[in-house]
């Protein structure tokens, strides 16, 4: 009998425990935008009630902003088997407020702005049978106060759903607020079709208090219209609005989660027998300013550094901009085309080419023409028998043509070699400029990553500060922890400011290298080993070879050989050696080679007059025009010993250039070996930093949880955060440092993969593989 009785009570308990709970949902409009939120709410309710309870949700009843439909929807749930009614919407709230009594438990949430609710400070529950409200710190006035801290608007447009304008006395809130603030406002009705562009005329800011149920396309149209007019905007709804293009909001990221958790807890309490009238009304959470950095840039909104300590930022200086984002190829190409240093070096080549032309012009004919007039003493002219008239004019043309000169030929050869040397000097400058461009690019990436990480570290400090404040409020820690994190927050803010300024300086450097306006707004695309352009240009192949100790010696030999073959510095010295050799030859056997020149002259008597202009009788008349032609052959016998001195000087110069060449060759060998060792170190850094970052991240998460529970002191949490920051920086920069070192190696061997075609690079790799195979 006892066993049967126990079995009976267990059966009754299980049946009651597993009894299904029917929940009805009321809303103003059921849209695709609202559906995910309702699903999240349902999941939260089921999770709180546990697996032992079966929860059924009836179809969502929406009133489409119609008051009569809202009344009918509510009545239908009252008449149904619903155990609990959840109401969300202005129309539903109005209908419920008109009811004299509630036959079923009702939970009303997220419907009316708290500015319209005037509760006595001592009232914590509704006190009305079967109904409770969830009142969150959603306040138009507090939002507008927060908006004013970042932008001193004068005439603001308040975009709000048209049905809310009709349903609520908004003027009773806004009129006294703006009158006291000395500002103006205009309500802008928001319909399903959005607003018109002209609705935004005459205002200097926008407060978005509606559009919660807008889809992505509708919202994008709305934000695009606002941002096109460069109007600062502020959302009353949620952080998601800021993610989709609104400038700022004062709502925290977690407010919806807290909403849903409170609703679920209320459902659980009602199901356990608690009357809804006894449930707490107020949902407390701290407002948090969130700003969209990219929107600020788009509308030219001035961001103050002071905002970094109090606001969270969506987007950052590290986010690429579609218009001005540069790759390393863009920067290299810009440097080759526009760099002022390279442009100046090109002019040096042109000038040396002019020197060659001048040297060659020595073999071109030299023709001069002249006209002269003479007035002679009449007494002398009279007795000259017509040979020297008193007044005479004449002209002449002289032709000089060098046929051969060893000095002139040597000068041509020397100038041509110097021109080739100047070309190699330019090639060296070009390689240096490409290295500078790549280093500037990767340094900017390092600083860009540093800025992003410093921002993340700042956000981590903000979260840790919240933990410290929660522990302090709960009595788990002292106020010193809060003060310590506030100090840490100030330091992290300054670090972020410094990182941002350093990034801007890096962009200045890139603009200078590309001969662009220094303050031009640019951004750079990221660079990842074995991805994108680096995959196409065979960087991974070298990575594999470098990571194999057996192949390293042969690779180094090959690279040194390539470096010597490509080095423009060595080629320049070779051309200068040719100059000294030619100078030596000129002053050696060249002294015995005569200079041969041809000269011709034509003279013309134009006019004669005055005394002595007439020949005496019997004297033959000279022709008006005469000419002469001569061949000149010269050979210097002794030129103050300058030939011997010049020859000795040439020998000294040859020896000097020989020493320079050997020194450059040794430098090349050392540089290649040094860079290879650096690359091997960077390979190790890449792998080690991955492990370090993962370990530090896990350690920080564990320490944060332990600190939250009061298990570890504050100093341990700060150490974990600092360690994670350092490992993040090391991890992010290891890849860039490897690529910088790779660029230094390419400069050392005189071959930049990024400036050659894929076929050329493939041929280079094949030659390297063949050389390595021949040595192993």
């Amino acid at each position: 009998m006892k066993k049967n009785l126990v079995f009976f009570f267990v059966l009754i308990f299980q049946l009651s425990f597993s009894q299904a709970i029917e929940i009805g949902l009321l809303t103003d409009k059921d849209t695709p935008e609202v559906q995910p939120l309702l699903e999240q709410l349902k999941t939260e309710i089921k999770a709180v009630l546990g697996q032992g309870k079966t929860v059924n949700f009836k179809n969502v009843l929406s009133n489409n902003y119609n008051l009569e439909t809202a009344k009918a929807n509510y009545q239908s749930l009252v008449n149904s088997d619903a155990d609990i009614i959840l109401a969300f919407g202005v129309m539903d709230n109005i209908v419920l407020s008109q009811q004299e009594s509630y036959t079923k438990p009702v939970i009303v949430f997220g419907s009316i702005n708290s500015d319209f609710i005037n509760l006595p400070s001592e009232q914590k529950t509704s006190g009305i049978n079967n109904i409770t409200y969830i009142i969150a710190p959603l306040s138009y006035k507090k939002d507008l106060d927060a908006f004013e801290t970042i932008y001193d608007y004068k005439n603001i447009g308040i975009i709000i759903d048209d049905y809310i304008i009709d349903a609520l006395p908004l003027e009773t809130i806004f009129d006294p607020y703006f009158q006291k603030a000395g500002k103006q406002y205009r309500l802008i009705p928001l319909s399903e079709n959005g607003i018109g562009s002209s609705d935004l005329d005459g205002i200097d800011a926008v407060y978005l208090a509606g559009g919660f149920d807008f889809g992505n396309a509708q919202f994008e149209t709305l934000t695009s219209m606002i941002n096109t007019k460069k109007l600062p905007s502020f959302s009353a709804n949620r952080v998601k609005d800021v993610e989709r293009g609104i400038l700022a909001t004062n709502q925290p990221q977690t407010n919806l989660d807290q909403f849903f958790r409170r609703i679920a807890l209320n459902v659980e309490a009602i199901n356990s027998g608690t009357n809804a009238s006894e449930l707490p009304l107020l949902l407390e959470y701290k407002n948090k300013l969130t700003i969209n950095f990219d929107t600020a840039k788009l509308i030219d909104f001035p961001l103050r550094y002071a905002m970094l300590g109090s606001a969270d930022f969506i987007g950052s200086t590290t986010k690429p901009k579609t218009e001005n984002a540069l790759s390393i190829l863009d920067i290299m190409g810009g440097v080759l085309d526009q760099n002022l240093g390279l442009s100046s070096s090109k002019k040096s080549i042109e000038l040396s080419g002019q020197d060659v032309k001048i040297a060659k012009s020595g073999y071109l004919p030299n023709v001069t023409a002249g006209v002269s007039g003479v007035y002679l003493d009449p007494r002398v002219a009279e007795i000259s028998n017509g040979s020297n008239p008193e007044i005479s004019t004449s002209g002449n043309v002289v032709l000089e043509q060098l046929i051969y000169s060893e000095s002139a030929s040597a000068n041509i050869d020397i100038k041509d070699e110097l021109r080739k040397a100047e070309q190699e000097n330019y090639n060296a400058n070009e390689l240096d400029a490409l290295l500078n461009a790549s280093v500037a690019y990767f340094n900017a990436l390092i600083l860009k990553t540093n800025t992003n990480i410093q921002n993340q570290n700042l956000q981590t400090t903000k979260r840790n500060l919240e933990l410290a404040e929660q522990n302090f409020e709960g009595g788990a820690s002292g106020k010193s922890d809060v003060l310590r994190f506030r100090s840490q927050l100030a330091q992290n803010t300054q670090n972020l400011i410094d990182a941002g300024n350093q990034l801007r300086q890096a962009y200045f450097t890139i603009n200078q290298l590309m001969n662009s306006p220094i303050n031009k707004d640019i951004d750079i695309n990221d660079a990842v080993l074995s991805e994108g352009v680096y995959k196409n240009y065979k960087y991974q192949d070298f990575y594999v070879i470098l990571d194999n100790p057996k192949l390293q010696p042969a690779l180094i030999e090959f690279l040194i050989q390539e470096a010597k073959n490509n080095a423009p510095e060595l080629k320049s010295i070779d051309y200068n050696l040719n100059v000294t050799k030619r100078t030596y030859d000129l002053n050696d056997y060249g002294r015995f080679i005569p200079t041969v020149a041809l000269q011709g002259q034509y003279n013309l008597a134009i006019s004669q007059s005055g005394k002595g202009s007439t020949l005496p009788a019997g004297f033959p008349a000279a022709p008006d025009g005469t000419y002469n032609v001569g061949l000149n052959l010269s050979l210097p016998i002794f030129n103050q010993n300058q030939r011997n001195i010049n020859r000795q000087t040439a020998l000294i110069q040859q020896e000097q250039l020989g020493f320079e060449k050997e020194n450059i060759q040794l430098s090349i060998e050392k540089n290649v070996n040094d860079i290879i060792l650096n690359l091997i170190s960077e390979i190790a850094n890449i792998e080690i930093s991955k492990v370090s970052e993962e370990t530090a991240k896990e350690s920080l998460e564990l320490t944060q949880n332990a600190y939250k529970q009061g298990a570890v002191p504050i100093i341990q949490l700060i150490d974990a955060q600092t360690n994670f920051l350092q490992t993040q920086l090391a991890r992010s920069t290891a890849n860039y440092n490897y690529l910088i070192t790779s660029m230094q190696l390419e400069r050392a061997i005189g071959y930049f993969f990024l400036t050659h075609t894929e076929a050329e690079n493939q041929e280079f790799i094949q030659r390297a593989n063949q050389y390595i195979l021949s040595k192993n």
Side-chain angles (χ1 to χ4, degrees):
M1 182 67 181
K2 290 182 179 180
K3 290 182 178 179
N4 291 336
L5 187 61
V6 171
F7 176 77
F8 175 74
F9 280 112
V10 170
L11 180 61
I12 294 297
F13 175 78
Q14 289 178 341
L15 288 173
S16 62
F17 186 79
S18 61
Q19 182 181 5
I21 302 173
E22 301 290 333
I23 297 178
L25 292 169
L26 297 174
T27 183
D28 283 342
K29 189 169 184 179
D30 186 14
T31 65
E33 185 71 10
V34 174
Q35 278 297 326
L37 299 178
L38 293 177
E39 292 301 320
Q40 184 179 348
L41 173 60
K42 294 176 182 179
T43 301
E44 185 70 22
I45 293 174
K46 290 179 179 179
V48 170
L49 291 178
Q51 296 180 352
K53 294 289 184 181
T54 301
V55 183
N56 296 324
F57 293 92
K58 296 183 174 298
N59 291 335
V60 178
L61 300 180
S62 58
N63 56 61
N64 288 322
Y65 314 120
N66 184 283
L67 196 60
E68 295 302 321
T69 304
K71 291 179 182 179
N73 289 343
Y74 171 66
Q75 196 61 43
S76 68
L77 287 180
V78 170
N79 297 331
S80 71
D81 60 349
D83 298 308
I84 300 174
I85 299 174
L86 305 182
F88 172 74
V90 174
M91 296 301 174
D92 293 318
N93 189 280
I94 294 174
V95 169
L96 290 169
S97 66
Q98 295 173 350
Q99 302 299 312
E100 295 182 357
S101 61
Y102 307 91
T103 58
K104 293 187 177 182
V106 179
I107 301 173
V108 184
F109 59 96
S111 304
I112 303 297
N113 192 280
S114 62
D115 292 337
F116 292 97
I117 303 173
N118 295 317
L119 289 176
S121 59
E122 66 276 5
Q123 184 174 351
K124 304 299 180 183
T125 64
S126 71
I128 303 174
N129 181 51
N130 267 347
I131 189 168
T132 185
Y133 295 87
I134 298 178
I135 303 174
L138 299 170
S139 168
Y140 295 139
K141 292 185 287 187
K142 290 181 179 179
D143 280 349
L144 292 167
D145 289 341
F147 193 10
E148 191 177 16
T149 63
I150 65 172
Y151 182 67
D152 187 18
Y153 55 85
K154 303 300 181 185
N155 186 2
I156 192 169
I158 300 176
I159 300 177
I160 192 165
D161 298 299
D162 49 9
Y163 67 90
I164 293 181
I165 294 177
D166 297 332
L168 297 178
L170 297 173
E171 291 80 3
T172 61
I173 298 297
F174 292 129
D175 284 353
Y177 175 84
F178 286 105
Q179 185 176 3
K180 182 178 179 181
K183 301 178 185 295
Q184 296 180 335
Y185 79 97
R186 186 172 80 240
L187 293 178
I188 302 176
L190 180 66
S191 67
E192 293 182 356
N193 298 324
I195 62 174
S197 178
S198 60
D199 292 332
L200 300 176
D201 294 341
I203 59 176
D204 61 354
V206 168
Y207 177 48
L208 180 63
F212 184 87
D213 56 355
F214 266 26
N216 289 331
Q218 291 174 294
F219 205 89
E220 182 179 355
T221 301
L222 178 62
T223 55
S224 176
M225 189 180 301
I226 295 171
N227 293 333
T228 298
K229 289 183 174 291
K230 297 188 178 299
L231 293 173
S233 54
F234 198 94
S235 173
N237 300 323
R238 52 193 168 173
V239 172
K240 185 177 180 180
D241 291 354
V242 179
E243 294 173 347
R244 295 191 294 180
I246 294 298
L247 176 64
T249 187
N250 203 33
Q251 293 301 311
Q253 183 72 46
T254 58
N255 62 344
L256 285 177
D257 297 334
Q258 292 178 266
F259 258 125
F260 295 155
R261 174 55 60 95
R262 171 61 70 82
I263 295 170
L265 291 173
N266 285 356
V267 170
E268 181 187 39
I270 292 172
N271 182 65
S272 300
T274 303
N275 192 292
S277 64
E278 301 173 8
L279 297 176
L281 293 176
L282 301 179
L283 175 65
E284 299 292 344
Y285 59 77
K286 292 184 178 180
N287 292 106
K288 187 68 174 179
L289 187 63
T290 303
I291 299 174
N292 188 317
F293 182 90
D294 301 310
T295 299
K297 294 288 289 183
L298 179 64
I299 67 174
D300 300 325
F301 182 80
L303 290 175
R304 301 190 303 273
Y305 286 130
M307 299 177 187
L308 296 173
S310 59
D312 289 337
F313 281 83
I314 294 175
S316 67
T317 55
T318 63
K319 184 176 180 180
K321 307 173 185 64
T322 55
E323 294 183 0
N324 295 321
L326 302 174
S327 68
I328 188 172
L329 288 177
D330 295 327
I331 298 175
M332 283 183 162
V335 167
L336 292 179
D337 294 337
Q338 304 294 335
N339 183 263
L340 294 178
L342 289 182
S343 298
S344 177
S345 295
K346 286 181 180 178
K347 293 302 177 182
S348 296
I349 298 175
E350 294 180 17
L351 290 173
S352 61
Q354 294 298 109
D355 292 338
V356 174
K357 292 179 180 179
I358 291 175
K360 289 182 177 180
S361 68
Y363 278 105
L364 295 178
N366 182 26
V367 180
T368 59
V371 178
S372 62
V374 178
Y375 177 78
L376 187 63
D377 189 334
R379 295 172 297 175
V380 176
E382 188 175 5
I383 61 174
S384 66
N385 295 322
S387 60
N388 290 309
E390 179 182 358
I391 299 172
S392 63
T393 59
S394 62
N396 64 77
V397 178
V398 179
L399 170 66
E400 296 176 333
Q401 174 63 59
L402 180 65
I403 296 177
Y404 182 79
S405 169
E406 181 63 12
S407 295
S409 296
N411 190 39
I412 294 173
D413 296 338
I414 289 171
K415 295 299 183 183
D416 190 50
E417 294 297 314
L418 290 175
R419 180 189 61 79
K420 295 176 183 178
E422 195 64 49
Q423 177 65 54
E424 294 304 326
N425 291 338
Y426 171 79
N427 293 340
N429 292 336
E430 188 176 78
L431 292 174
D432 290 337
L434 290 174
L435 177 61
N436 292 337
S438 59
V439 170
Y441 168 75
F442 288 119
N443 281 339
L445 279 178
I446 290 173
L447 293 171
K448 179 178 178 181
T449 304
N450 179 50
T451 301
N452 190 34
I453 292 175
Q454 291 293 348
N455 183 44
Q456 294 174 9
N457 186 57
L458 178 63
Q459 306 312 316
T460 300
T461 300
K462 291 177 182 177
R463 289 193 294 272
N464 289 341
L465 175 59
E466 292 175 359
L467 291 178
E469 290 173 341
Q470 292 171 6
N471 285 358
F472 173 63
E473 293 170 358
S477 65
K479 191 174 182 180
S480 60
D481 286 10
V482 176
L483 297 177
R484 179 65 180 85
F485 274 117
R486 286 178 181 173
S487 174
Q488 186 74 23
L489 183 66
Q491 296 174 15
N492 294 156
T493 301
Q494 184 61 52
N495 291 339
L496 179 57
I497 292 172
D498 293 340
N501 288 337
Q502 291 172 2
L503 178 59
R504 289 195 64 193
Q505 290 173 342
Y507 288 157
F508 293 162
T509 300
I510 292 175
N511 283 333
Q512 180 186 19
L513 290 174
M514 298 176 64
N515 191 26
S516 298
I518 295 298
N519 286 313
K520 181 181 179 181
D521 185 21
I522 63 170
D523 199 355
I524 51 177
N525 291 324
D526 200 359
V528 180
L529 187 64
S530 302
E531 294 184 13
V533 68
Y534 301 95
K535 181 178 181 180
N536 296 334
Y537 286 90
K538 309 302 179 184
Y539 280 86
Q540 183 63 27
D541 293 349
F542 271 108
Y543 186 98
V544 173
I545 296 174
L546 285 172
D547 203 29
N548 190 332
K550 293 183 179 180
L551 302 180
Q552 287 175 16
L555 175 62
I556 292 174
E557 289 182 15
F558 171 77
L559 293 176
I560 290 175
Q561 177 179 298
E562 286 293 316
K564 291 180 178 179
N565 291 337
N566 296 333
E569 295 86 355
L570 292 178
K571 295 177 181 179
S572 177
I573 286 182
D574 287 338
Y575 289 128
N576 280 285
L577 281 171
N578 292 339
V579 170
T580 59
K581 290 177 183 178
R582 190 66 180 90
T583 303
Y584 179 86
D585 292 341
L586 172 64
N587 292 282
D588 186 30
Y589 67 82
R591 74 176 85 182
F592 303 113
I593 300 177
T595 298
V596 182
L598 180 67
Q599 181 174 357
Q601 183 172 335
Y602 178 79
N603 300 309
L604 176 64
I606 299 174
S607 65
Q608 296 179 351
S609 61
K611 295 182 178 180
S613 59
T614 304
L615 293 173
F619 281 78
D624 293 334
T626 61
Y627 66 88
N628 62 74
V629 178
L631 182 66
N632 182 30
L633 189 68
S634 64
L635 183 66
I637 303 299
F638 187 78
N639 188 21
Q640 299 175 334
N641 202 34
Q642 290 184 8
R643 295 274 186 171
N644 290 330
I645 295 173
N646 291 338
R647 185 175 58 180
Q648 294 168 0
T649 301
L651 288 174
I652 296 172
Q653 291 174 338
Q654 286 184 34
E655 293 177 354
Q656 182 185 39
L657 291 172
F659 294 145
E660 291 181 10
K661 184 175 182 179
E662 291 179 8
N663 185 48
I664 292 175
Q665 290 173 335
L666 288 174
S667 296
I668 288 174
E669 294 180 16
K670 181 181 182 300
N671 287 340
V672 171
N673 279 278
D674 287 346
I675 294 173
I676 291 296
L677 291 177
N678 291 337
L679 281 173
I680 295 171
S681 297
E682 295 301 337
I683 291 174
N685 287 338
I686 290 174
E687 300 303 324
I688 293 173
S689 62
K690 292 179 183 177
V691 179
S692 298
E693 183 187 15
E694 293 171 358
T695 303
K697 181 180 180 180
E698 183 178 358
S699 175
L700 176 60
E701 292 173 350
L702 293 173
T703 307
Q704 283 178 324
N705 291 331
Y707 177 78
K708 186 177 182 180
Q709 298 170 4
V712 298
I714 183 176
I715 190 65
Q716 190 169 339
L717 178 57
I718 293 176
D719 288 343
Q721 180 182 346
T722 302
N723 184 47
F724 181 53
L725 170 65
Q726 293 173 347
T727 56
Q728 277 184 301
L729 293 173
R731 167 72 177 88
S732 62
T733 58
N735 179 64
Y736 301 139
N737 286 333
Y738 173 82
L739 291 172
I740 287 177
T741 310
S742 297
M743 290 297 174
Q744 292 171 344
L745 178 61
E746 293 178 25
R747 170 60 185 94
I749 65 176
Y751 186 95
F752 280 99
F753 284 88
L754 295 176
T755 59
H756 290 79
T757 65
E758 188 174 351
E760 292 172 336
N761 293 333
Q762 187 61 42
E763 192 273 335
F764 184 95
I765 296 295
Q766 289 176 353
R767 285 193 289 110
N769 290 331
Q770 291 173 359
Y771 187 91
I772 293 172
L773 289 175
S774 67
K775 296 292 183 177
N776 290 279

